[in-house]
Amino acid sequence: MNDYPPPSFDAHSTSARSPRPFQPPLKKPVQYVKGVGPKRAEQLARLGIATVEDLLYHIPFRYQDRREIRKIAQLVGGEEGATVGQLVRMGRRFVTRTRRWVLEGVVRDETGFLFLRWYNQHRYFEQKYQLGQRVLLFGKVEVGLKGGVWMIHPDMELVEEEEETARILAIYNKTTEMTVGSMRRIVHGAVLENVDLVPNGVPEEVRERLGLMDLSAALRSLHLPSLEENVAALNNAASLAHRTVVFDELFYLQLGMALRRRNMVKEDGLSIVPGPLVRQVHEILPFHLTRAQERVLEVIFRDMAAPHPMNRLVQGDVGSGKTIVAFCAALAALDSGYQVAFMAPTELLAEQHFRTLTPLAEKLGVSIALLTGDLKPQQKREVYNLLEQGKVEITVGTHALIQDNVRFHRLGLAIVDEQHRFGVMQRAALKKLGANPDMLLMTATPIPRTLSLTIYGDLDVSAIDELPPGRKPVTTHVFHEGERQKAYQAVKMQIDRGHQAYIVYPLVEESEKMELKAATSMADQLSKTFFKDYSIGLVHGRMKGEEKDEVMRRFKAGEHQLLVSTTVIEVGIDVPNATVMLIEHAERFGLAQLHQLRGRVGRGQAESFCFLLAQYSPADESIRRLRVMVETNDGFKIAEADLMFRGPGEFLGTRQSGLPDFRVANIVRDSRILEIAREEADAWLAKDPDLTSPASRRLRSLLEDRWAGRLELARVG
Ligand code: ADP
Ligand code: MG
């Protein structure tokens, strides 16, 4: 219907010239809406609603089916229902048993009486009504012990014209100061006045093909559903109107991402080609690369050879062999005369990479250095100098790599391991150490595709989806806290067969100090009781590097049968003879993290086990979560489940995740739509890469409008 926005809509781009800046109607502050004064505006602001447009996108979270107004006698116990009657009694009553006041009322129609009760209802609510008035009630119907028909906490409103009462009613999020009714009046006022001004973002051609609605019609229908709507679909956010609004939002996200990808491709970068080092490395490796490793490496080399910066994310399950792939990429950079920075999130991990890579580097005659915060100032300065003079070719390090004093002579490739632990800014800082170097990001926490499309839509992603040969899946059991002895017994069985075991004692949320204490007393207790005949080692995050190394070395050499540790082990060590891991308080962990921990066993030839010791009651979600660990060893499946259970925000952890805040879309719920949006956005850009066709021109301005500030898309196109 309203396919073209009013001509004024784009006028803000020229507003700099006019003395009184023109405000497009949708961008006006909420005060312009009827019934909104300064106080209301302030309350709305707390809901994140500042403009008229925000009100239009304040989508109801629930719908009440009030299409059928029943007689009181026809109300069905246990179901929600709506009825109209005359208020015949209303008053407060003190309930001696609970020692609280309740508000009670009685409504009558020609078929019977309906009893009402509210707890904690406000005085003004009571005063709003007078006996004899006709009221509409909506709520869950309950039949009392003596046969009376009740509604507890029903919605009640005055009925003026009965014809108007049959409808599907939208329920909105509101602040405590507002009533349900006042919130609805404000939103509906804004909708009736302005919704037709909302421009269709998605090109008509695409909308038609997908059978989507006109955007403003969709918004209108979400706020003021017609009587023909399917209430269940509305409540599940699955109505056509929902899908239309969600698609619109996701289409723009994907369009923006795709444009960003294209812009990056246009940037000038280094052209790096593999040479003798890459050829030699195959000869010195003690194994053949897996097909998956080869395939990913090929893509990486192709990216690096192109005269544009590479931006590739490599996902690979724990143990899939990402390090060696990164190393081969590094060698290609050296072959072309560049330096490489390899950044890891922890000292332990950086040290481990350094230790794994040093022998390989030595065989190839490549210089390699370690740069972490642990180094003495003198040592650091030395590394800085070598880097600046180009005398070190590969530098493995932590955040210490992006400190002020670090300068590279000729950085060609920046590798980020466990990249999800770094923020966007940190990645950017690393990139700035060179002149548009290639970036290779790696993660062992597989990001479900839906999520990676959303947050990494501007990266190229590939997966190492195959483990090196000989790995056996780890058998996993969940033990209830009450079965602790049984779990210990199972651990003991493995040790008695000559294997070794980890006991991981993780305390999230609590301080490192607590964690330390817990692990220490745990080790102490076990060595006196259940495992008193065995040698137990202890590692935790507080230990000095050398101390830690010493314990690890002894464990690796088989001098300890058991290693009690805090979560430092997550990224720690590789001991093929360790075949069992017991994880304490498993319920406190995200599945992805448990999966990482579990990846420490199953590295040798023998069958391996992971025991999850957890506190839960049968109905708990935590046990359902943990069962996923039992059912699968596939990191991607686990990540999907983790995402479902915890939601995208928590799944990604910290704020730095770069997850855009959607108005309506929910990437877990709407993953199908996201896929389609991605395809459509790509297809559109393939046809019109610079958004120059008449149909695209509007896309471009809307794109800037919608995502400005949110996705740093200001410089689109
Ligand atoms: P992740 O992907 O978890 O970082 P790593 O790179 O640490 O995995 O590799 C895990 C282990 O597998 C290492 O001991 C590594 O040497 C070994 N590895 C890597 N690639 C292969 C391969 N193709 N064949 C056999 N072992 C491999
Ligand atoms: Mg790794």
Side-chain angles (χ1 to χ4, degrees):
M1 62 199 248
N2 183 45
D3 231 299
Y4 289 93
S8 54
F9 188 82
D10 284 335
H12 61 291
S13 52
T14 57
S15 62
R17 267 179 281 127
S18 62
R20 202 151 37 93
F22 170 79
Q23 249 173 341
L26 295 177
K27 299 291 171 201
K28 285 191 175 167
V30 281
Q31 265 112 310
Y32 282 83
V33 174
K34 250 184 260 134
V36 181
K39 222 170 79 199
R40 277 276 187 256
E42 187 257 322
Q43 291 162 0
L44 289 170
R46 264 183 281 137
L47 295 170
I49 300 172
T51 64
V52 171
E53 188 174 48
D54 293 339
L55 275 175
L56 301 188
Y57 276 94
H58 192 57
I59 306 295
F61 72 93
R62 210 165 83 77
Y63 294 86
Q64 291 180 354
D65 190 352
R66 296 194 185 178
R67 284 173 298 187
E68 196 183 346
I69 309 280
R70 299 186 169 201
K71 294 295 172 206
I72 290 173
Q74 289 159 350
L75 291 171
V76 182
E79 283 180 12
E80 286 194 329
T83 189
V84 170
Q86 189 179 34
L87 189 65
V88 293
R89 198 178 309 155
M90 187 81 144
R92 288 192 181 253
R93 185 167 73 83
F94 189 73
V95 182
T96 32
R97 197 169 44 83
T98 58
R99 309 192 53 75
R100 280 167 65 183
W101 287 92
V102 295
L103 175 63
E104 290 187 335
V106 181
V107 168
R108 180 180 71 185
D109 72 4
E110 62 274 23
T111 67
F113 293 96
L114 174 67
F115 300 93
L116 317 170
R117 180 182 292 154
W118 295 270
Y119 301 95
N120 305 323
Q121 190 54 282
H122 227 274
R123 284 272 165 204
Y124 72 77
F125 177 82
E126 185 180 347
Q127 286 153 7
K128 215 168 86 179
Y129 301 96
Q130 282 148 26
L131 299 188
Q133 280 175 329
R134 281 174 70 71
V135 288
L136 181 141
L137 283 309
F138 181 90
K140 188 161 169 207
V141 180
E142 287 172 37
V143 180
L145 288 177
K146 294 175 198 151
V149 184
W150 286 83
M151 280 187 186
I152 310 297
H153 268 276
D155 289 339
M156 179 158 97
E157 59 194 56
L158 285 173
V159 180
E160 275 129 36
E161 281 167 73
E162 203 158 330
E163 307 90 281
E164 278 187 11
T165 56
R167 58 186 159 153
I168 299 172
L169 192 65
I171 311 293
Y172 294 92
N173 255 330
K174 60 176 190 69
T175 66
T176 45
E177 297 97 330
M178 288 185 238
T179 65
V180 180
S182 59
M183 186 73 206
R184 182 158 49 229
R185 268 191 300 281
I186 291 168
V187 177
H188 284 185
V191 169
L192 291 171
E193 188 121 326
N194 301 289
V195 80
D196 289 340
L197 302 178
V198 177
N200 260 315
V202 179
E204 191 176 347
E205 172 195 330
V206 177
R207 258 184 299 134
E208 258 172 28
R209 180 150 28 83
L210 300 177
L212 296 173
M213 298 169 73
D214 168 271
L215 183 60
S216 57
L219 282 170
R220 178 194 289 272
S221 143
L222 290 179
H223 293 288
L224 298 154
S226 72
L227 291 174
E228 293 80 53
E229 288 292 331
N230 176 335
V231 178
L234 283 172
N235 274 325
N236 291 325
S239 68
L240 180 60
H242 277 103
R243 281 182 282 134
T244 298
V245 177
V246 167
F247 183 85
D248 182 89
E249 194 164 38
L250 295 176
F251 180 72
Y252 273 90
L253 172 78
Q254 291 305 329
L255 201 59
M257 294 281 196
L259 274 173
R260 243 190 352 183
R261 249 187 343 255
R262 276 166 190 268
N263 285 347
M264 262 183 289
V265 169
K266 277 191 227 146
E267 273 174 42
D268 286 336
L270 313 169
S271 191
I272 288 173
V273 261
L277 286 174
V278 173
R279 281 195 292 278
Q280 278 169 43
V281 73
H282 289 282
E283 284 153 33
I284 62 162
L285 283 179
F287 45 71
H288 290 290
L289 294 186
T290 62
R291 268 195 320 259
Q293 284 171 316
E294 293 277 14
R295 188 169 37 77
V296 169
L297 203 50
E298 227 166 82
V299 177
I300 291 173
F301 286 152
R302 206 181 57 214
D303 285 356
M304 290 174 81
H308 313 291
M310 167 169 79
N311 267 291
R312 183 161 295 275
L313 174 69
V314 172
Q315 305 192 338
D317 216 338
V318 212
S320 60
K322 293 181 292 294
T323 316
I324 205 68
V325 168
F327 185 65
C328 291
L331 294 178
L334 304 197
D335 272 331
S336 293
Y338 291 101
Q339 290 170 295
V340 175
F342 192 154
M343 186 162 76
T346 64
E347 310 247 322
L348 199 75
L349 193 52
E351 284 164 24
Q352 180 187 288
H353 285 327
F354 181 67
R355 239 175 296 138
T356 325
L357 299 182
T358 300
L360 296 175
E362 273 169 4
K363 279 191 197 141
L364 295 169
V366 165
S367 56
I368 184 166
L370 178 68
L371 181 58
T372 66
D374 257 3
L375 296 187
K376 301 203 180 70
Q378 172 60 33
Q379 294 172 304
K380 271 191 204 162
R381 268 196 301 276
E382 215 167 288
V383 178
Y384 294 157
N385 281 334
L386 291 173
L387 279 179
E388 197 157 359
Q389 294 160 18
K391 288 189 182 147
V392 168
E393 292 170 294
I394 300 179
T395 315
V396 182
T398 54
H399 300 86
L401 280 169
I402 45 177
Q403 303 305 305
D404 282 347
N405 310 341
V406 180
R407 275 182 201 57
F408 281 82
H409 177 62
R410 254 187 121 201
L411 182 67
L413 170 67
I415 301 168
V416 183
D417 195 18
E418 304 296 329
Q419 77 89 30
H420 59 281
R421 300 222 192 160
F422 291 98
V424 178
M425 302 311 283
Q426 289 168 318
R427 259 158 35 195
L430 190 64
K431 196 176 161 81
K432 285 213 189 80
L433 292 175
N436 256 346
D438 285 331
M439 296 285 289
L440 176 61
L441 314 172
M442 304 195 293
T443 183
T445 304
I447 310 290
R449 182 167 159 79
T450 50
L451 205 49
S452 76
L453 283 183
T454 312
I455 56 177
Y456 305 133
D458 54 342
L459 296 179
D460 299 303
V461 180
S462 29
I464 306 183
D465 50 8
E466 174 188 2
L467 294 179
R471 300 271 167 80
K472 295 213 178 81
V474 179
T475 308
T476 301
H477 286 292
V478 181
F479 288 98
H480 188 267
E481 187 55 47
E483 304 170 301
R484 178 173 285 273
Q485 298 303 316
K486 232 166 100 187
Y488 283 163
Q489 198 60 53
V491 170
K492 202 177 231 168
M493 233 163 75
Q494 287 297 307
I495 301 181
D496 289 343
R497 286 188 187 156
H499 295 305
Q500 289 162 285
Y502 299 103
I503 297 189
V504 184
Y505 202 92
L507 280 182
V508 274
E509 305 291 309
E510 265 129 314
S511 74
E512 215 176 324
K513 231 172 166 174
M514 291 276 301
E515 192 170 323
L516 168 61
K517 200 173 133 232
T520 313
S521 64
M522 179 71 160
D524 196 46
Q525 212 205 337
L526 289 177
S527 67
K528 284 183 190 140
T529 56
F530 205 93
F531 293 103
K532 64 176 183 306
D533 301 328
Y534 303 89
S535 162
I536 301 182
L538 169 70
V539 277
H540 51 72
R542 271 294 154 102
M543 283 171 131
K544 284 226 184 64
E546 303 141 39
E547 261 181 286
K548 222 160 33 190
D549 280 354
E550 184 54 23
V551 181
M552 299 278 203
R553 196 196 54 72
R554 273 196 254 137
F555 184 64
K556 207 164 174 162
E559 290 168 37
H560 296 306
Q561 279 115 354
L562 252 131
L563 187 69
V564 174
S565 84
T566 57
T567 42
V568 294
I569 202 171
E570 184 183 344
V571 290
I573 49 182
D574 193 9
V575 182
N577 188 43
T579 57
V580 57
M581 172 177 282
L582 174 73
I583 302 176
E584 297 262 354
H585 292 297
E587 78 280 0
R588 298 189 191 172
F589 283 91
L591 295 180
Q593 196 177 3
L594 287 174
H595 181 63
Q596 291 252 326
L597 284 167
R598 182 169 65 178
R600 296 299 113 198
V601 293
R603 305 199 143 223
Q605 296 306 312
E607 188 182 8
S608 295
F609 301 88
C610 176
F611 301 136
L612 306 173
L613 200 53
Q615 190 95 58
Y616 59 86
S617 56
D620 272 0
E621 189 182 89
S622 59
I623 182 63
R624 282 199 293 131
R625 249 167 22 97
L626 295 178
R627 291 238 166 84
V628 175
M629 297 297 295
V630 176
E631 280 154 22
T632 182
N633 273 279
D634 180 332
F636 277 90
K637 285 199 187 120
I638 289 170
E640 292 278 357
D642 206 22
L643 177 62
M644 277 216 337
F645 278 114
R646 291 197 296 169
E650 233 188 292
F651 176 86
L652 289 168
T654 43
R655 328 226 68 244
Q656 39 107 351
S657 61
L659 192 68
D661 43 353
F662 294 113
R663 289 177 135 144
V664 187
N666 169 326
I667 55 165
V668 179
R669 185 191 67 202
D670 301 321
S671 59
R672 271 286 298 146
I673 304 181
L674 181 62
E675 296 272 359
I676 299 169
R678 160 106 169 180
E679 280 163 28
E680 292 292 342
D682 280 351
W684 190 267
L685 281 178
K687 266 194 329 207
D688 185 13
D690 296 313
L691 294 183
T692 44
S693 74
S696 287
R697 275 218 308 278
R698 197 152 44 89
L699 279 188
R700 179 194 282 262
S701 77
L702 282 178
L703 193 60
E704 288 178 19
D705 172 64
R706 293 199 196 181
W707 292 111
R710 291 212 234 179
L711 273 176
E712 303 148 36
L713 280 177
R715 277 187 329 114
V716 168

